[in-house]
Amino acid sequence: MTGAAPRRTGRLEAIDAGVVFRSGFGGRTAKAALKDATLSIGGDRPTIVAVVGESGSGKTTLTRLLLGFQAPTTGKVAYRGVDLTRMDGAGRRAFRREVQAVFQDPFEVFNPFYRVDHALFTPLKSFRIADDRATALALIERALETVGLRPGETLGRYPHQLSGGQRQRVMIARALLLDPHIILADEPVSMVDASLRSTILQTLLRLKDEAGISLVYVTHDLTTAYQVADSVVVLYAGSVVETGDVEAVIRRPRHPYTRALVDAIPSPDPDVPWDLSATEPTEAGTGLPATGCPFAPRCPRAAVACTAGLPPLAEIDPGRRVRCLFPMEAA
Ligand SMILES: Nc1ncnc2c1ncn2[C@@H]1O[C@H](COP(=O)(O)OP(=O)(O)OP(=O)(O)O)[C@@H](O)[C@H]1O
Ligand SMILES: [Mg+2]
């Protein structure tokens, strides 16, 4: 990865997208896992968008929606301006190549009976990227080196013969082989130890800076979000409650929930992880019909108006959106 970053223009966006899961007899029990989610990644210039929120807030649901694994119940998800559910074969093929995923536990992605080579050669074959094995191998070796792995010590091994951090980096290398425009990474470092975590996060940053790849970085740890992201999307109980430039959102939170998170930082030391699960119990289990702001029951600023309906995600400053009728002062 040397020289000028290639231009990658694919833009992926969720527009007012909602997901309702139905269960029970006749689907009578409904659960809104995501409501009116809006997020845009890629396009003119590479960025890293962090999606933060406590357990059950809807992060994985949003990721699966953006990958087309889950159809929205309301709203839409579009790539290059085309609704994922209305893409033709060529569009879907381009989407599947240009938008890649890296998950929390790569062990689940590997077939334990195959050497890791299999997971690397297969996408090259299915997308007909390399004509022969030697070309494929050269691409694989380059991708492994990009993520800080030595090909000689990685290829030929079975998944269980690699460490968790190595497996995770093989998965990132696998995503890179397809020359993606966008990578969605759902908790990519939560299973690895602190030293490897920073190595992998540095790799993600380099992918943006040197390869021009945009990333959605999903995490419950605001410290790492702050370290790598340009902008942040804060989820609470399935709702995007605040979005904006990461520095601005964390330095001057405007939604009372984001503010509570910032106040809950145990230490100004950036090496101490800032774990959202350390805050109060979640209200994320709210079932349908959901009326009002989901944070109202915990909010020190809540008023009667807050229970009337989900407040709009209003732009209160350029690039800054807050879903709150009574946002915190800008100071
Ligand atoms: N297939 C499903 N059927 C029913 N409910 C689901 C399903 N998938 C997720 N949910 C519910 O939707 C909500 C959001 O789940 P999601 O997995 O998106 O949260 P998350 O933010 O990724 O949490 P975590 O940090 O624990 O990974 C949760 O309440 C979850 O129980
Ligand atoms: Mg999740």
Side-chain angles (χ1 to χ4, degrees), residues 20-23 31-34 53-64 70 104 186-187 218-220 235 238 284-285:
V20 174
F21 289 114
R22 295 193 174 274
S23 54
K31 149 114 205 136
L34 205 63
E54 55 199 31
S55 184
S57 58
K59 303 182 296 296
T60 295
T61 304
L62 178 57
T63 311
R64 291 175 50 80
Q70 166 78 50
Q104 177 174 19
D186 188 356
E187 304 264 14
V218 173
T219 183
H220 58 273
L235 275 179

Side-chain angles (χ1 to χ4, degrees), residues 31-68:
K31 149 114 205 136
L34 205 63
K35 291 167 245 171
D36 294 352
T38 294
L39 183 153
S40 174
I41 179 84
D44 302 335
R45 127 191 115 80
T47 52
I48 299 183
V49 176
V51 173
V52 301
E54 55 199 31
S55 184
S57 58
K59 303 182 296 296
T60 295
T61 304
L62 178 57
T63 311
R64 291 175 50 80
L65 201 64
L66 289 167
L67 286 167

